[in-house]
Amino acid sequence: MNKTLILVVEDDMPVHNLITTTLKTHDYKFISAKNGGSAIMEASTHNPDIALLDLGLPDVDGVEVIKKIRTWSNMPIIVISARSEDTDKIEALDAGADDYLTKPFSVEELLARLRVTQRRLALMQQENSAQPAVFVNGALRIEYAAGCAYFHEKELHLTPIEYKLLCLLAQNVGKVLTHTFITQKIWGSSWENDIASLRVFMATLRKKLENGEDHTQYIQTHIGVGYRMLRVE
Ligand code: CA
């Protein structure tokens, strides 16, 4: 039995029904809201584990809902957007959303995002009980205290910025980080040229996370949005 409680915020009935039917068949519990006002109310009353939030709501913009929820809760929010423009997703991610789905999406994609989010939730709960000194993901290992990273048991020779980038991605594994968020964290600013430098540093970092036979992808690019470190099984 899946005990995760999902808040579904969607005013478009066919999409709402697709989501809730999928959740039902996969034993998720859910509550629904059809506008921003009731979304905020349901979120504060029931404290769901995850929110699936449509950005285009009849009363308020979904981004406002994210900002409101973030004033009291860190619950993972997956944004559902009919708009393909990157700016909407970026605005939502910068406001504190964790991930996004673009309409039309498949049931498999929805379920995959939920699984990723659940894994992240479980990790967050673990981290809250004890901040690990070592981060391990597939063949990647970071020893925070020593400030060293290893890949396939060999030390990675990283520049200070590459190391900071790697740690930032690792600390948010599974989560899409926007260019703005990353440049703010690394350089404290987000000018156009910082984003250009970010691309360069990310390219060299990814090169270092490639290993002959092993074609596992660790860092995923979301074009026009940002980057995500994938959880390697
Ligand atoms: Ca809508």
Side-chain angles (χ1 to χ4, degrees):
M1 182 69 191
N2 200 327
K3 279 193 244 113
T4 310
L5 177 65
I6 319 257
L7 169 62
V8 182
V9 188
E10 176 60 82
D11 61 313
D12 182 348
M13 283 321 283
V15 181
H16 172 271
N17 294 343
L18 170 74
I19 295 173
T20 53
T21 306
T22 305
L23 294 180
K24 252 184 243 163
T25 43
H26 289 82
D27 283 335
Y28 284 99
K29 291 188 294 179
F30 65 88
I31 41 177
S32 301
K34 290 175 183 61
N35 57 56
S38 57
I40 292 162
M41 208 184 69
E42 294 292 336
S44 61
T45 316
H46 298 284
N47 196 25
D49 299 296
I50 300 172
L52 282 166
L53 172 71
D54 178 27
L55 281 185
L57 294 170
D59 52 348
V60 291
D61 197 296
V63 173
E64 295 309 313
V65 177
I66 299 170
K67 287 181 184 161
K68 197 89 187 184
I69 290 176
R70 279 292 170 263
T71 60
W72 86 86
S73 169
N74 282 323
M75 74 177 72
I77 300 174
I78 303 172
V79 156
I80 301 169
S81 173
R83 296 170 278 187
S84 53
E85 290 93 343
D86 286 328
T87 47
D88 295 319
K89 289 177 203 157
I90 293 168
E91 212 193 326
L93 291 165
D94 277 336
D98 297 84
D99 206 345
Y100 60 83
L101 275 167
T102 305
K103 291 183 202 171
F105 53 83
S106 67
V107 162
E108 287 71 28
E109 200 181 349
L110 168 66
L111 290 169
R113 300 289 179 177
L114 286 175
R115 282 195 300 271
V116 167
T117 306
Q118 282 180 286
R119 278 203 292 272
R120 189 159 67 234
L121 260 181
L123 278 169
M124 263 162 58
Q125 278 151 7
Q126 267 174 34
E127 277 167 24
N128 285 347
S129 50
Q131 181 72 28
V134 179
F135 169 84
V136 180
N137 186 22
L140 173 68
R141 190 173 88 243
I142 306 173
E143 293 184 2
Y144 292 119
C148 295
Y150 300 85
F151 191 57
H152 286 276
E153 297 307 320
K154 277 166 83 178
E155 188 172 354
L156 283 170
H157 296 286
L158 302 174
T159 65
I161 292 213
E162 286 167 356
Y163 180 73
K164 272 171 88 174
L165 274 174
L166 185 67
C167 291
L168 185 63
L169 288 165
Q171 278 149 12
N172 295 281
V173 65
K175 186 168 170 175
V176 181
L177 302 180
T178 62
H179 296 133
T180 315
F181 178 84
I182 299 173
T183 52
Q184 284 286 356
K185 288 275 179 190
I186 306 287
W187 288 284
S189 59
S190 56
W191 300 102
E192 276 302 306
N193 56 345
D194 292 327
I195 293 174
S197 323
L198 175 60
R199 284 205 185 90
V200 175
F201 283 111
M202 213 48 111
T204 58
L205 179 59
R206 295 175 82 151
K207 249 206 171 76
K208 291 176 185 181
L209 293 180
E210 279 169 15
N211 179 297
E213 301 291 287
D214 183 1
H215 295 296
T216 311
Q217 192 188 19
Y218 284 82
I219 301 172
Q220 190 182 50
T221 303
H222 287 240
I223 295 163
V225 180
Y227 300 91
R228 162 191 348 231
M229 180 179 286
L230 298 173
R231 175 56 71 180
V232 178
E233 301 296 336

